[in-house]
Amino acid sequence: MDRALELARRGPAHGPNPRVGCVLLAGGVPDGSPARVLGEGWHRGAGTAHAEVAALADAAARGHDVRGATAVVTLEPCAHTGRTGPCAHALADAGVAHVVHAVEDPNPAAAGGAAALRARGVRVTSGVRAAEAAELLRVWATAAARGTPYVTLKTATSLDGRVAARDGTSRWVTGPQARAHAHAVRAAVDAVAVTTGTVLADDPALTARRPDGSLVDHQPLRVVVGRRDVPAAARLRGAGGPLLHVRSHAVADLLAAVAAREVRHLLVEGGPALATALLAADAVDELHAYLAPVVLGAGPAAVGDLGVSTLAAAPRLRTARVERLGDDVLLVARREPAPAVAPAAATAPIEGDS
């Protein structure tokens, strides 16, 4: 299973499908003889072969017979036909005798593979390396289970929580290492969102770039929230990912619009109005707080009034990690467990942006 997880990590973090790895073994479990690898595979993205089918193809290319083999998979094999056929049927048709998977598929449309395998006489074992697989699949599994994207909110602030100085200057609060890290995050998500206010004030490109300024291969969907038009000359209309304009002030409309585009991971970068609305709606799963060692004393804050009147009522996240980036610090905090349903307060308006 460790090898299957290693293979799974080769797949893209972005896209509507999970990162899955599969190893086909002869011997070993359950007869105790030395295990021998027959084939390996991983999912390379939507529209390509799933990990199980890729492993079967690899075994065939090596000239190995997989009848009676054990398939070790990081995720329960799917039982539905989408862009590709059901993996549970492919394994059973190939004569695989035992399937070991780490976690169950949380996607209602694809779940049921274990039952389908058992119905075909295939032995199924689950829960091996479950914690490791769940962490690898955390973003995708959260979005697949509840039907709305996993939301990561990014802030880049001074030590006193300001996103800009009194005169509005904000380039750059954080240093080059922090900005390079933020671009790496953009390259791993499906979409990045800002408000029309941010577009008009900062004219961002919302592209994922290398340190030399060139564009990486994967560019996220660029999402603008608000009713005002995006200027014809805006950098958002230049090279990069496609542009989606959500002409609404409702968090629910934003989440629905990006979910309809198969967005599993939404990165929100600005501005304070959108950050406040998402937090008020309890719609943020993860917070990336970039902190620069500078004190401004005045200027706009990263988050507005959330209606918290006492400390005990403030929402608390769990610190997942802290990382130094040059002179800056990144704090990653998460809600755990992530909510299994879309936020009930997702009708919260995005105030202050029209």
Side-chain angles (χ1 to χ4, degrees), residues 9-339:
R9 293 185 186 97
R10 297 182 183 181
H14 53 81
N17 290 354
R19 302 162 85 184
V20 182
C22 176
V23 179
L24 294 171
L25 297 174
V29 179
D31 63 12
S33 61
R36 180 167 55 96
V37 174
L38 302 177
E40 298 181 332
W42 69 94
H43 184 48
R44 300 169 188 262
T48 66
H50 287 191
E52 299 92 326
V53 174
L56 290 171
D58 182 49
R62 299 187 194 194
H64 294 318
D65 185 351
V66 301
R67 288 176 294 181
T70 295
V72 181
V73 195
T74 55
L75 179 67
E76 177 188 10
C78 66
H80 84 303
T81 300
R83 293 182 176 97
T84 59
C87 294
H89 295 178
L91 292 171
D93 290 345
V96 169
H98 185 195
V99 171
V100 178
H101 65 86
V103 292
E104 296 179 355
D105 195 325
N107 186 351
L117 286 164
R118 291 188 179 101
R120 294 282 298 272
V122 178
R123 192 158 72 95
V124 178
T125 302
S126 63
V128 177
R129 293 287 193 270
E132 293 89 339
E135 173 59 23
L136 177 66
L137 294 167
R138 172 176 42 83
V139 169
W140 173 84
T142 301
R146 72 185 183 205
T148 59
Y150 187 96
V151 176
T152 294
L153 173 63
K154 170 201 165 185
T155 61
T157 70
S158 63
L159 288 178
D160 53 341
R162 309 292 178 174
V163 296
R166 188 195 302 271
D167 64 357
T169 54
S170 60
R171 293 184 178 179
W172 297 99
V173 173
T174 54
Q177 291 94 329
R179 296 197 298 274
H181 184 278
H183 278 281
V185 174
R186 284 184 186 176
V189 302
D190 301 306
V192 56
V194 297
T195 62
T196 52
T198 296
V199 172
L200 296 173
D202 297 339
D203 191 24
L206 298 186
T207 52
R209 301 187 295 275
R210 301 182 182 91
D212 64 6
S214 61
L215 300 183
V216 304
D217 292 338
H218 167 69
Q219 291 296 318
L221 173 71
R222 297 180 283 190
V223 183
V224 177
V225 187
R227 298 193 181 100
R228 287 177 287 184
D229 292 335
V230 175
R235 296 172 67 204
L236 282 172
R237 298 190 184 276
L243 175 63
L244 172 65
H245 191 172
V246 182
R247 293 181 180 271
S248 172
H249 284 179
V251 169
D253 291 341
L254 166 62
L255 298 180
V258 295
R261 299 286 288 265
E262 293 191 308
V263 168
R264 299 294 196 193
H265 194 176
L266 173 65
L267 173 65
V268 176
E269 293 200 358
L274 183 53
T276 304
L278 288 164
L279 288 167
D282 199 25
V284 174
D285 297 293
E286 185 167 305
L287 174 65
H288 288 192
Y290 296 87
L291 303 174
V294 60
V295 178
L296 295 175
V303 178
D305 185 3
L306 294 175
V308 177
S309 59
T310 182
L311 186 61
R316 288 198 179 266
L317 307 179
R318 186 188 68 82
T319 299
R321 74 176 190 274
V322 178
E323 183 176 351
R324 180 168 179 171
L325 300 168
D327 285 334
D328 303 322
V329 173
L330 167 65
L331 186 148
V332 176
R334 297 173 184 156
R335 288 194 300 170
E336 292 194 354

